[in-house]
Amino acid sequence: MANLYWTLVEPYWEVVSIYDGYDVFLAEFKKMPQVSQHLFATHWAQSEIRNGGIDQFFDNSTGVLAKEAVEGFKALGMLETAEILQQSMDILGTPYPQDRDERQERLSELPDPFFFEDVRFWELLDEEADGFHVAANRYASKAIN
């Protein structure tokens, strides 16, 4: 199956909101099985970053799940990908701002801080652990079998 991992994400796709703040997101997210949590967060992160870079991921509502995406990439065996995302989060400060308005304010103060991280992240999405889709499907298959 080309996107086996999606079968573990799809049931939650319309249920878990990334648009209503961190508390709402986290309450809904925690109801998911852990394997689906990891796949949900990494799917969002890789989709958003492939589309417009790390800056776009943080700037949009998707940035609410950055911490969960780091944990998800680790679970998928994509350790360098997780590290780049964590380092990028650290640029925005500690603790990482879960609030979108706060993230946007901090991003506005930084001159394109993620150029090199974007390039490496995109490469890793295709290479590390055989690439995101292979790693996600492999992780999903362990949970299903």
Side-chain angles (χ1 to χ4, degrees), residues 70-100:
V70 167
E71 293 308 311
F73 284 121
K74 288 178 184 177
L76 270 59
M78 300 182 75
L79 303 180
E80 191 174 347
T81 304
E83 181 62 27
I84 289 172
L85 185 55
Q86 182 62 60
Q87 290 171 356
S88 299
M89 291 169 60
D90 293 345
I91 291 171
L92 295 182
T94 304
Y96 171 78
Q98 299 295 348
D99 179 73
R100 184 178 183 194

Side-chain angles (χ1 to χ4, degrees), residues 106-120:
R106 291 187 191 182
L107 284 167
S108 72
E109 298 168 357
L110 302 171
D112 193 20
F114 306 112
F115 176 78
F116 295 107
E117 289 85 353
D118 282 342
V119 171
R120 185 65 183 138

Side-chain angles (χ1 to χ4, degrees), residues 1 3-12 36 39 137 140 144:
M1 179 179 263
N3 280 320
L4 176 65
Y5 84 89
W6 185 250
T7 63
L8 299 175
V9 173
E10 187 173 32
Y12 307 101
S36 294
L39 294 167
N137 285 329
I144 292 172

